[in-house]
Amino acid sequence: MKRRPSFSLPVTVVVLVIVFIYFSTIFVFVDRWFGLMSSPGVMNAVVFTAVAVMCIFNYSAAIITDPGRVPSTYLPDIEDADNPIHEIKRKGGDLRYCQKCSHYKPPRAHHCRVCKRCVLRMVLLVGSLTVDPQKDDQQIGGFFRSIYVISGLLLLPVSMALSVLLGWHIYLILQNKTTIEYHEGVRAMWLAEKGGDLYKHPYNIGGFENLTAILGPNILCWLFPTSRHIDVGLRFPTAYDNLSTRAASK
């Protein structure tokens, strides 16, 4: 299911930055350092284009893919033995209920202010060392100098931000957490330690299993992840599933 397209200033800015970095890298840096008609130039252009295509694909998928919605007929079944996890409110201990959507929230679902509904599991230049700087400076005009400066100003903060986000989301994937679940887990861990208990994230089913649960069972598709392996999004494997199976077999 696709979202209805609408103008977004942040998305437009990100797309323009990606386009500028791509064209300046290919037609300025790679072309001037290696030459686009040379073997090193072609190799660098092909590799960078492949990375850019994956970036655009995943960014587009994140924008246009529907995040899922809670079925209007959903009702939590606290007696369902196949679903041992039931999330409750912090205050009162009742089952979570969304006052804005007027329905119960499945596990890992939260209300999104942007989508205006509850969302299921609410959760991115070595060649210069071979160039003679003095010779290059003599050949660079004002236009290319401006591109160098703008690219440097863009690439440094973008690279730092993406590196932090990459590391953060790798951690979340390996733990099978959303950002909201991480912050809720910090509080739950503090409360558990205060009561002398140990807290474990219930959806952490193991490193590799977490990867396949989020990116899919086919490793070859991890560079272009899809949501086809995900069911309706109302249930997710938990660390207690094996315990329940073992208990039932005894």
Side-chain angles (χ1 to χ4, degrees):
M1 185 180 298
K2 305 295 184 182
R3 302 182 196 174
R4 186 172 55 186
S6 61
F7 175 78
S8 173
L9 180 60
V11 172
T12 303
V13 172
V14 170
V15 171
L16 291 176
V17 169
I18 293 175
V19 171
F20 177 82
I21 291 176
Y22 174 78
F23 280 97
S24 63
T25 300
I26 297 296
F27 297 105
V28 176
F29 296 108
V30 174
D31 188 25
R32 295 182 66 86
W33 292 343
F34 305 107
L36 285 177
M37 295 297 103
S38 65
S39 297
V42 172
M43 182 181 65
N44 279 272
V46 170
V47 171
F48 190 79
T49 299
V51 174
V53 169
M54 287 190 293
C55 179
I56 291 294
F57 173 83
N58 288 285
Y59 187 61
S60 301
I63 294 173
I64 66 177
T65 302
D66 195 292
R69 63 184 69 220
V70 180
S72 58
T73 58
Y74 171 77
L75 287 175
D77 186 1
I78 59 175
E79 298 182 356
D80 186 0
D82 295 330
N83 187 24
I85 300 297
H86 296 282
E87 298 178 359
I88 60 177
K89 295 181 180 180
R90 296 179 182 177
K91 297 181 179 179
D94 297 328
L95 292 173
R96 298 190 310 145
Y97 187 85
C98 181
Q99 299 294 339
K100 297 179 180 179
C101 298
S102 300
H103 59 58
Y104 286 98
K105 295 181 181 180
R108 316 186 79 177
H110 297 274
H111 189 86
C112 176
R113 291 178 295 178
V114 177
C115 302
K116 297 180 180 179
R117 68 172 187 264
C118 286
V119 172
L120 302 174
R121 194 162 64 174
M122 182 170 173
V123 185
L124 128 152
L125 297 172
V126 178
S128 62
L129 299 178
T130 64
V131 179
D132 185 357
Q134 294 182 354
K135 181 179 178 181
D136 195 56
D137 286 341
Q138 295 174 358
Q139 297 176 349
I140 295 178
F143 174 72
F144 290 110
R145 189 184 299 276
S146 299
I147 292 182
Y148 271 62
V149 173
I150 295 174
S151 298
L153 293 176
L154 285 175
L155 287 174
L156 182 60
V158 168
S159 299
M160 293 177 62
L162 290 180
S163 297
V164 173
L165 287 174
L166 176 63
W168 170 242
H169 282 86
I170 288 176
Y171 167 78
L172 291 178
I173 289 175
L174 292 177
Q175 298 291 319
N176 201 355
K177 295 179 180 179
T178 64
T179 305
I180 294 178
E181 289 172 347
Y182 168 79
H183 292 289
E184 291 179 343
V186 172
R187 174 180 172 81
M189 184 179 299
W190 177 77
L191 292 174
E193 292 179 352
K194 187 176 180 181
D197 299 324
L198 294 177
Y199 171 79
K200 181 180 179 181
H201 182 56
Y203 300 103
N204 185 357
I205 54 179
F208 182 76
E209 288 76 11
N210 292 337
L211 281 171
T212 56
I214 295 174
L215 299 179
N218 190 346
I219 299 179
L220 299 178
C221 295
W222 285 5
L223 294 178
F224 298 91
T226 64
S227 59
R228 289 178 296 181
H229 63 283
I230 300 177
D231 199 10
V232 294
L234 300 179
R235 291 184 180 180
F236 298 93
T238 70
Y240 304 105
D241 291 345
N242 292 334
L243 297 178
S244 302
T245 303
R246 292 175 185 176
S249 62
K250 291 183 180 180

